[in-house]
Amino acid sequence: MIKIENLKASIDDKDILKGINLEIPAGEVHVIMGRNGSGKSTLANVIAGNETYEVDGGNITMETTDITEMSIENRALEGIFLCFQYPVAIPGVSMAYFLRSALNAHRKYQGKEEMDALEFLNKAKAILSELGLDDSFLKRSINDGFSGGEKKKSEILQLLTINPKLAVLDETDSGLDVDALRTVAKGVNKFKNENNSVLIITHYQRLLDYIKPDVVHLMIDGKIVKTGDMSLVEKVEKDGYSWLEK
Amino acid sequence: MVDKNQQVIDKTLEQEYKYGFSTNIEETKFEPGLNEDVIKKLSKIKKEPQWLLDWRLKAFRNWEKMSEPTWANIKYEPIDYQALSYYAAPKQLKNDSLDDVDPEIIETYNKLGISLNEQKRLQGVAVDAVFDSVSIATTFKKELSKHGIIFCSFSEAVQDHPELVKKYLGSVIPATDNYFAALNSAVFSDGSFVYIPKGVKCPMELSTYFRINATNTGQFERTLIVADEGSYVSYLEGCTAPMRDENQLHAACVELVAHKDSTIKYSTIQNWYAGDKEGKGGIYNFVTKRGTCLGDNSKISWTQVETGSAVTWKYPSVIMQGDNSVGEFYSVAVTKNKQQADTGTKMIHIGKNTKSTIITKGISAGEGQNTYRGGVKILKNAENAQNFSQCDSILIGDKCGAHTFPYIDVNNPTAKMEHEATTSSIGEDQLFYCNQRGIKLDDAVSMIVNGFCKEVFEELPMEFAVEAKQLIEVTLENSVG
Ligand SMILES: Nc1ncnc2c1ncn2[C@@H]1O[C@H](COP(=O)(O)OP(=O)(O)OP(=O)(O)O)[C@@H](O)[C@H]1O
Ligand SMILES: [Mg+2]
């Protein structure tokens, strides 16, 4: 699905990603763990095309398309979706309006007919009830005054509505209570199938008790230093990261 | 990123003004110049009674002694008042039937999306169309008169309802109120007049559409709206002008009088030509708008969306004289290129339990300068007066500016005042968020700005709200990269 080769990125001349190699085939769930500041969110942002970061080398290929130079919205339309670690508020713009615009931008790109307000509402309501959210959620301004948990659920609502090819979850599990964590996990499990891929960035094992990863990567100082299976997660939970630095 | 922003900003500034065409018709026009003879000639053409001529002359004599205000945060070339013509009217003048109106003019309004043909009009809106110095046509007059509502051009009102005009003209904005109001009082050529009788809820929106066409002409119209006891009216005002290289002066006066238990809602979408990207041409818009809540429990609400003009100087105000009366001001002001706006409101609390609300949204792009200037005054006897003010500004790009000058004067200790002000930029993070969801830049900007303006747009009548949204979208197209 996505292939990242020797990706280097910096901000204000400070090198952050120092040669990332990562390939996620369709149907797989990958996990990245790593210390605070090791560059995980940077990687997620660079995959999404955030222009705050300078790409200094390497390639990102989505299916067969090289997207390294592609604009943010075209990557999104090509199927990349980022669940933000800190989703930003847009006062006065309702979830419903925003999400329908986003969905229709995708549908248009895919040559499908745009969805009218009623059809959209029915689709969104079905997803909302699965996430245990009230319909009134759609009337609220995006992320404006949302609690931490509501923000994360809103990201999952958007993920399920847009139904992209690759979902990058940046600490979507952080700050959630036990029930909310289960709801989010349920949403991700509902999303995933053999034709799409998931990249989960996390600090904890707890989300992975619900979503079984196929591959786990450990990141240190802008590089993936170890790749393995679920046992790596257990090791990190127990021993932290210092053993990797030897 | 920044370079790209700049490129796209530059592109926006080349955006064409949609209403910039001019109409080629024969007009009767005064020679440039202003003196007592010009005023007498104007008054004579309009067959005005002596008292009105005297009123004009008094205003003129005062104006001559006054000087142009300099306190506003705007810069412009000095206006040569002697170089302007003070009257321009299409040769073929208004008659009772639309058939007599010059087809060119009807076509002009059609192009502007205003049909003067009643059958084709959107239901529920009556229009008074003002072309340069005169009113061309007023629609739905008969329908309205069934309810006893008077909706006609100012000139007609002077002829047909002189007692009402005499009673209320200048009662809210005295002829010598300020420099531009005095000038308007001396030379106003036409405008709209509305009277809603006791207990009548006006069954449709009333609307005036102002169009400046002639060159080197000032437009000085005057609107007077009187809502008698227990009545209600919603009034809309729209404006456009052709693109011309020289600046054109527009100095209007709008007076509102709300009697006991009545409500006047006045909405404006101002889209005068704003000048080109170098700041050449465009309308100088110096407008005095004021309403008096004369009776108890009356309400006056101003809503404005200001996107046009090279220079805007405008402070719609409410004097809350009656007890429990309410004044409201909702404003969206957009400046781009070299546009300058100094706008705001004045809320004067005289009666007990009077309540005012001010919500303003300033949007600056390009090199636009946007100033909010608002005054709230609570007089000594205004027990339990309340004011809530919220003034938000948003900046697009880094060459524009937003300025806020609130003036508060409280003379009664029971007053409750709340004031909030924010200035923000459209965040890169907000744009990134939208883009990441597949929403392209232009759409993201207009979405964010429309969200920012939401509280004000909600105050507009339905049709106008849609128009306002689209106007913002067109105005801000490509303003961020
Ligand atoms: N916009 C930015 N401006 C300046 N420095 C940044 C920016 N974004 C990231 N950095 C720096 O890059 C490094 C990597 O940050 P990043 O957010 O990618 O880490 P992370 O692995 O996601 O950390 P966490 O686990 O705390 O979320 C940090 O040193 C951070 O300070
Ligand atoms: Mg992070």
Side-chain angles (χ1 to χ4, degrees):
Chain A
M1 176 65 61
I2 192 168
K3 191 171 176 190
I4 297 169
E5 293 163 292
N6 199 25
L7 184 67
K8 292 178 181 159
S10 61
I11 186 159
D12 305 334
D13 292 327
K14 183 178 153 206
D15 294 334
I16 300 173
L17 301 183
K18 301 173 180 170
I20 299 276
N21 289 293
L22 177 68
E23 185 172 358
I24 313 176
E28 288 193 5
V29 176
H30 286 214
V31 166
I32 293 186
M33 298 181 86
R35 282 213 174 103
N36 295 131
S38 56
K40 303 180 297 297
S41 293
T42 302
L43 175 62
N45 275 280
V46 172
I47 291 174
N50 191 336
E51 291 161 10
T52 316
Y53 302 89
E54 193 77 43
V55 174
D56 304 313
N59 287 313
I60 308 175
T61 313
M62 184 73 182
E63 295 186 307
T64 53
T65 316
D66 185 336
I67 61 163
T68 322
E69 302 284 320
M70 204 181 255
S71 72
I72 307 162
E73 70 264 25
N74 283 337
R75 291 176 200 229
L77 296 171
E78 281 289 325
I80 290 175
F81 184 96
L82 177 57
C83 280
F84 284 80
Q85 183 171 4
Y86 305 110
V88 62
I90 308 181
V93 179
S94 74
M95 272 309 285
Y97 183 71
F98 177 78
L99 191 48
R100 190 157 74 90
S101 305
L103 176 64
N104 281 333
H106 281 83
R107 290 179 67 94
K108 218 168 129 188
Y109 190 76
Q110 294 156 4
K112 291 184 194 158
E113 209 168 300
E114 293 189 19
M115 214 178 243
D116 66 31
L118 196 68
E119 216 182 330
F120 167 78
L121 212 62
N122 289 333
K123 184 185 168 90
K125 276 182 179 170
I127 298 169
L128 280 168
S129 75
E130 282 180 62
L131 294 176
L133 289 170
D134 195 79
D135 291 352
S136 63
F137 202 67
L138 290 172
K139 292 206 189 103
R140 293 176 65 180
S141 295
I142 308 158
N143 302 320
D144 196 18
F146 284 18
S147 75
E150 283 171 337
K151 280 186 189 166
K152 299 294 167 90
K153 284 185 184 175
S154 145
E155 295 290 291
I156 298 295
L157 164 68
Q158 295 179 47
L159 170 69
L160 289 173
T161 309
I162 291 172
N163 193 26
K165 289 181 196 154
L166 170 70
V168 180
L169 277 58
D170 192 358
E171 295 198 27
T172 305
D173 55 339
S174 290
L176 293 182
D177 67 42
V178 185
D179 293 328
L181 183 74
R182 258 188 230 134
T183 308
V184 162
K186 202 172 117 194
V188 177
N189 281 325
K190 186 175 150 55
F191 164 72
K192 98 178 198 238
N193 62 39
E194 63 274 26
N195 299 315
N196 61 30
S197 311
V198 181
L199 177 61
I200 297 175
I201 294 170
T202 185
H203 288 295
Y204 311 106
Q205 190 179 339
R206 52 183 212 155
L207 180 68
L208 308 175
D209 292 338
Y210 300 102
I211 307 168
K212 287 285 153 248
D214 298 290
V215 181
V216 176
H217 309 273
L218 300 184
M219 191 156 159
I220 295 239
D221 192 23
K223 275 189 170 158
I224 288 175
V225 294
K226 197 149 192 79
T227 295
D229 60 13
M230 192 63 190
S231 65
L232 277 181
V233 179
E234 283 148 26
K235 173 124 180 99
V236 166
E237 286 266 311
K238 205 161 93 256
D239 301 333
Y241 296 97
S242 45
W243 58 279
L244 285 161
E245 283 163 337
K246 298 285 132 54
Chain B
M1 187 75 181
V2 175
D3 282 354
K4 198 174 114 198
N5 279 356
Q6 198 48 52
Q7 278 172 22
V8 190
I9 289 172
D10 291 347
K11 210 168 100 200
T12 318
L13 311 184
E14 285 155 25
Q15 197 92 19
E16 284 269 330
Y17 175 66
K18 210 166 112 190
Y19 306 105
F21 64 91
S22 57
T23 310
N24 201 0
I25 45 151
E26 262 194 289
E27 296 212 57
T28 310
K29 202 167 135 183
F30 282 10
E31 287 298 312
L34 180 56
N35 53 49
E36 296 203 0
D37 288 339
V38 168
I39 294 168
K40 283 177 190 156
K41 195 168 145 196
L42 175 71
S43 185
K44 196 168 168 205
I45 287 184
K46 305 214 150 268
K47 303 188 182 79
E48 286 176 354
Q50 186 63 37
W51 66 262
L52 188 49
L53 175 60
D54 292 343
W55 193 77
R56 287 177 181 277
L57 290 173
K58 198 175 145 211
F60 178 68
R61 285 167 199 150
N62 269 290
W63 177 75
E64 281 189 304
K65 286 183 230 132
M66 297 165 98
S67 49
E68 220 170 297
T70 51
W71 44 263
N73 191 19
I74 45 179
K75 291 189 196 82
Y76 55 92
E77 291 293 306
I79 301 166
D80 181 356
Y81 293 92
Q82 295 304 333
L84 291 175
S85 163
Y86 288 82
Y87 184 77
K91 276 229 165 103
Q92 228 172 325
L93 255 187
K94 172 169 176 166
N95 270 302
D96 279 344
S97 157
L98 258 189
D99 302 335
D100 300 330
V101 177
D102 190 322
E104 281 279 345
I105 293 178
I106 296 188
E107 185 49 33
T108 299
Y109 281 92
N110 283 342
K111 271 202 225 170
L112 298 169
I114 314 283
S115 172
L116 299 178
N117 184 327
E118 292 187 7
Q119 277 81 51
K120 287 194 198 140
R121 272 304 298 171
L122 286 159
Q123 257 192 327
V125 185
V127 182
D128 182 30
V130 177
F131 192 87
D132 289 333
S133 304
V134 292
S135 167
I136 296 303
T138 309
T139 64
F140 290 109
K141 251 177 154 163
K142 285 200 190 90
E143 162 88 23
L144 290 167
S145 68
K146 278 190 225 148
H147 301 268
I149 295 168
I150 304 169
F151 178 39
C152 62
S153 73
F154 208 97
S155 308
E156 281 171 81
V158 170
Q159 302 305 324
D160 301 344
H161 311 282
E163 67 303 334
L164 286 173
V165 175
K166 193 170 178 184
K167 182 169 172 191
Y168 292 108
L169 177 67
S171 70
V172 184
I173 305 171
T176 53
D177 188 78
N178 68 68
Y179 188 79
F180 296 108
L183 177 63
N184 174 287
S185 302
V187 302
F188 74 91
S189 46
D190 213 334
S192 302
F193 177 80
V194 175
Y195 173 78
I196 315 287
K198 271 185 193 164
V200 172
K201 184 175 185 309
C202 186
M204 58 179 84
E205 308 273 349
L206 302 184
S207 149
T208 302
Y209 197 92
F210 295 108
R211 174 73 179 170
I212 297 181
N213 187 62
T215 50
N216 279 326
T217 316
Q219 192 176 36
F220 307 94
E221 83 279 349
R222 195 146 187 129
T223 302
L224 175 55
I225 300 177
V226 180
D228 217 326
E229 284 183 21
S231 68
Y232 170 90
V233 62
S234 169
Y235 188 90
L236 323 171
E237 174 201 300
C239 358
T240 56
M243 287 154 77
R244 300 201 189 278
D245 281 350
E246 77 272 17
N247 296 104
Q248 285 168 286
L249 177 64
H250 174 249
C253 279
V254 176
E255 294 182 278
L256 311 182
V257 180
H259 285 282
K260 192 164 169 276
D261 300 317
S262 72
T263 297
I264 302 176
K265 195 170 159 56
Y266 193 105
S267 314
T268 307
I269 292 196
Q270 186 264 108
N271 188 19
W272 294 119
Y273 177 51
D276 69 8
K277 63 175 175 172
E278 267 89 43
K280 196 169 177 202
I283 302 286
Y284 288 165
N285 192 31
F286 296 96
V287 172
T288 307
K289 291 184 167 178
R290 193 176 304 154
T292 300
C293 288
L294 209 53
D296 294 351
N297 313 312
S298 56
K299 175 174 168 181
I300 290 179
S301 180
W302 297 102
T303 305
Q304 60 174 29
V305 176
E306 305 275 316
T307 60
S309 296
V311 172
T312 299
W313 180 99
K314 180 179 170 191
Y315 317 90
S317 305
V318 184
I319 300 167
M320 285 155 276
Q321 200 167 311
D323 290 347
N324 314 312
S325 60
V326 175
E328 294 175 340
F329 177 69
Y330 301 97
S331 168
V332 166
V334 185
T335 54
K336 64 170 192 179
N337 293 346
K338 297 203 190 286
Q339 272 179 281
Q340 309 170 63
D342 192 306
T343 180
T345 184
K346 234 191 264 170
M347 292 290 175
I348 300 168
H349 294 252
I350 301 174
K352 296 183 179 62
N353 307 314
T354 45
K355 204 172 147 188
S356 62
T357 303
I358 300 171
I359 294 183
T360 69
K361 307 281 174 176
I363 299 149
S364 320
E367 294 172 55
Q369 294 296 326
N370 217 322
T371 300
Y372 166 76
R373 190 181 301 278
V376 179
K377 191 171 174 130
I378 313 276
L379 271 69
K380 223 172 79 202
N381 295 324
E383 291 292 319
N384 300 315
Q386 277 183 52
N387 166 264
F388 174 77
S389 301
Q390 186 188 325
C391 308
D392 300 325
S393 309
I394 200 165
L395 305 173
I396 304 175
D398 54 9
K399 290 193 207 153
C400 52
H403 319 273
T404 304
F405 301 103
Y407 306 95
I408 294 168
D409 180 10
V410 179
N411 299 296
N412 183 308
T414 60
K416 268 200 229 134
M417 312 288 289
E418 257 182 276
H419 182 87
E420 290 170 18
T422 65
T423 299
S424 54
S425 304
I426 287 196
E428 294 281 324
D429 49 350
Q430 288 176 324
L431 292 173
F432 177 56
Y433 193 80
C434 294
N435 291 161
Q436 211 299 305
R437 296 308 187 238
I439 298 167
K440 60 181 204 306
L441 212 50
D442 279 351
D443 295 343
V445 171
S446 76
M447 197 183 268
I448 294 166
V449 171
N450 273 315
F452 174 75
C453 299
K454 190 173 166 207
E455 289 156 285
V456 174
F457 288 170
E458 278 173 351
E459 295 298 322
L460 287 171
M462 195 57 185
E463 289 168 30
F464 252 36
V466 174
E467 192 182 326
K469 267 188 148 168
Q470 286 166 350
L471 189 58
I472 297 281
E473 272 158 34
V474 174
T475 309
L476 293 176
E477 214 162 75
N478 300 324
S479 47
V480 181

